[in-house]
Amino acid sequence: MKILLITVSMFVCLVGFATMLNMFEGFTLYESLRSTLSPFRVMELAEIVVLIVFILLFVAESAYVLIKKRKNIN
């Protein structure tokens, strides 16, 4: 669970940092977010499917480990 939280927080921090850099360059907030997240908009269907599968596997593995640890504690 810690790994998932760290991963999400790193993603949020990096997107925020990139957005702030774009805003310092003179873009509006909307243009800055659009520029930062544009790699996800130009992905093909196969790339999106692979990304979703990787995210689901990561979440499923984290949930499995968490459930396994809770059962061992009881």
Side-chain angles (χ1 to χ4, degrees):
M1 196 66 176
K2 290 179 191 177
I3 295 173
L4 181 63
L5 182 64
I6 291 170
T7 303
V8 169
S9 64
M10 284 178 58
F11 177 75
V12 169
C13 288
L14 289 172
V15 167
F17 182 70
T19 302
M20 291 306 293
L21 284 178
N22 284 336
M23 289 180 72
F24 287 141
E25 289 179 358
F27 294 111
T28 64
L29 178 63
Y30 175 74
E31 291 172 332
S32 178
L33 283 172
R34 198 171 116 211
S35 173
T36 302
L37 299 174
S38 67
F40 295 107
R41 295 211 276 74
V42 295
M43 293 174 77
E44 294 182 14
L45 180 62
E47 294 171 326
I48 292 172
V49 169
V50 169
L51 178 66
I52 291 171
V53 167
F54 281 149
I55 291 171
L56 289 176
L57 285 174
F58 182 74
V59 170
E61 182 183 1
S62 297
Y64 174 75
V65 169
L66 181 66
I67 291 169
K68 189 175 178 182
K69 283 184 181 180
R70 284 191 181 178
K71 284 185 180 180
N72 286 340
I73 291 174
N74 293 334

